[in-house]
Amino acid sequence: MLKSNLFTLHYPPPQIIAKREEVRRELLQKSPHLSGGRITRIFQSDLKLLFDLYDRIFFHNYFRDHFTGRLLLSFSTRMTKNAGMTVYPRNLKNLSPKEERYELRISAVIFFSYDKLERDKVVNGVKTRDSLEALQLVFEHELCHLIELHCFKESSCRQERFQSLALNLFGHTESCHQLPLIPEIATAKYGLSIGDRVSFQVEGKTFDGIICRITKRATVMVPDAGGLYRDRAGKRYSKYYVPLALLKKR
Ligand SMILES: [Zn+2]
């Protein structure tokens, strides 16, 4: 298959579903880390497997046979909002095919948090049944970025060209995910939100403060005359990173 054909691939919806299932089935067969649709651990080698399966099942092995650039597949432990991201050099337009470099970065925490909330989890307009399917949908979105970058040296999922590619290839009707994110889980599980007054204990001593950020832990600002941080009114604070389960709402 030629590069120019990548953008003309078009599968009818039943075929997309069948191909996506085929990828899933083979991934579960071949990965020593995955045992079902619920992801509890996953490795970079699983992303490599996933990529090779998509390449074969959706792209007629275009990447295996014709792509001469470099492709890195990685998990990020820092991405807590974006489920996936495609990174490429700024000077991509000036690079020869051999110099092309891309990195598909996937958030790990979002997929591990998948089951923490009971509600519909739609990714790219498709309702997912488990975290593995959600991972596939996110991966598909990044593959569309990869193809668009490879063919046109620029890519935007807000533009029509990307959206028709994602629709034709994978049946995506949107470019976003509604997977549970940490602040929503914090609110649902612990009743905690940004701006809440909370207390927590460190070595038997109780501290009172205000939540100003929630990632894997909450960032709590505690009034402290000797603190390093100062608000607009000149009041000083110390900053604490506290696991959500240890916070008490006041
Ligand atoms: Zn995107």
Side-chain angles (χ1 to χ4, degrees), residues 22 37 52 61 67 90-91 94 111 118 135 146 176 183 208 214:
E22 197 183 337
D52 291 343
N61 281 321
F67 180 73
R90 272 197 198 168
N91 61 342
N94 308 324
F111 299 101
E118 294 281 331
L135 171 68
L146 174 69
C176 59
D208 296 330
I214 298 177

Side-chain angles (χ1 to χ4, degrees), residues 217-232:
R217 292 170 296 175
T219 307
V220 183
M221 303 306 279
V222 174
D224 177 357
L228 284 174
Y229 300 89
R230 206 160 58 176
D231 67 12
R232 285 203 193 109

Side-chain angles (χ1 to χ4, degrees), residues 32-95:
H33 314 116
L34 297 167
S35 51
R38 186 174 181 177
I39 301 173
T40 52
R41 58 185 193 140
I42 190 157
F43 293 79
Q44 208 183 354
S45 58
D46 299 313
L47 290 182
K48 174 79 175 91
L49 269 175
L50 198 56
F51 183 85
D52 291 343
L53 289 168
Y54 271 101
D55 190 26
R56 195 188 81 217
I57 292 166
F58 281 88
F59 311 143
H60 306 286
N61 281 321
Y62 169 83
F63 285 92
R64 187 195 68 188
D65 299 338
H66 302 289
F67 180 73
T68 54
R70 264 178 37 208
L71 177 67
L72 193 70
L73 303 158
S74 68
F75 280 110
S76 163
T77 51
R78 285 202 211 132
M79 281 162 57
T80 54
K81 217 180 205 168
N82 287 326
M85 182 187 270
T86 300
V87 186
Y88 56 94
R90 272 197 198 168
N91 61 342
L92 183 62
K93 280 200 163 94
N94 308 324
L95 300 179

Side-chain angles (χ1 to χ4, degrees), residues 4-11 16 58-59 140-152 154-156 159-172:
S4 52
N5 294 129
L6 271 178
F7 238 81
T8 59
L9 288 170
H10 188 167
Y11 300 114
I16 292 171
F58 281 88
F59 311 143
E140 290 168 8
H141 181 89
E142 300 313 318
L143 289 174
C144 292
H145 277 304
L146 174 69
I147 290 175
E148 195 176 35
L149 285 165
H150 179 55
C151 295
F152 299 98
E154 56 182 19
S155 178
S156 165
Q159 304 286 319
E160 210 194 307
R161 185 177 64 195
F162 180 100
Q163 288 164 359
S164 61
L165 174 71
L167 181 68
N168 291 340
L169 255 180
F170 297 121
H172 298 176

